[in-house]
Amino acid sequence: MQKRLISSGSRFEAEIGYSRAVLVGDTVYVAGTTGYDYASMTIAEGVAEQCEQAFRNIQAALAEAGASMEDVVRVTYIVPRREDWEPCWPVTRRCLGNARPASTLIHAGLQTDAMRIEIEVTARIGAGAAYSGRQD
């Protein structure tokens, strides 16, 4: 089985030595993704805005691998401050509400103080289309 590396174009990937995502078979592993806008190399102050940008970054990596947000089966959220989690709920519901992946929240420090959320996902290509279970 071959693996394909997917880059966001961020200089961090080359400097640190990782890929935004790795595709192996029909599984896409998306690295912990923060709210950096890689086109402008800026990060918003608000946690909800960072969450939105992180999901845009994730969505771009998934699309390059041939997957979508509906294919996400696992998500891990990392927030340094407990009070920052609840403001992200509307964003996470909008982005992953249909997929309803298994989810974990971790409270931990991030690379810089400006980073207020980091999100990591695993997706299975076609999982969204194959879903037939209840969502209650």
Side-chain angles (χ1 to χ4, degrees):
M1 200 175 298
Q2 291 187 341
K3 81 176 180 181
R4 185 172 131 218
L5 307 179
I6 297 169
S7 175
S8 67
S10 164
R11 66 179 174 84
F12 298 127
E13 293 170 30
E15 289 177 13
I16 298 170
Y18 70 96
S19 296
R20 171 61 43 219
V22 176
L23 172 63
V24 179
D26 66 351
T27 305
V28 186
Y29 303 92
V30 182
T33 305
T34 64
Y36 266 97
D37 178 336
Y38 297 117
S40 64
M41 284 310 291
T42 60
I43 192 164
E45 280 190 37
V47 68
E49 292 84 358
Q50 287 189 28
C51 188
E52 293 267 4
Q53 183 62 52
F55 275 121
R56 282 192 292 273
N57 296 341
I58 290 166
Q59 189 170 11
L62 289 173
E64 190 170 334
S68 73
M69 297 299 273
E70 300 245 340
D71 294 323
V72 174
V73 296
R74 179 92 174 117
V75 60
T76 301
Y77 302 100
I78 306 163
V79 295
R81 299 180 240 171
R82 293 179 195 284
E83 65 271 14
D84 277 350
W85 177 226
E86 192 168 346
C88 293
W89 293 0
V91 179
T92 63
R93 184 173 45 253
R94 187 174 32 74
C95 294
L96 292 175
N98 289 335
R100 303 261 315 257
S103 174
T104 300
L105 170 68
I106 299 170
H107 294 120
L110 298 179
Q111 184 67 28
T112 70
D113 290 338
M115 294 176 182
R116 296 178 62 188
I117 187 164
E118 186 170 327
I119 305 168
E120 175 180 282
V121 304
T122 302
R124 297 287 303 268
I125 296 172
Y131 178 76
S132 63
R134 284 180 36 180
Q135 290 189 5
D136 42 49

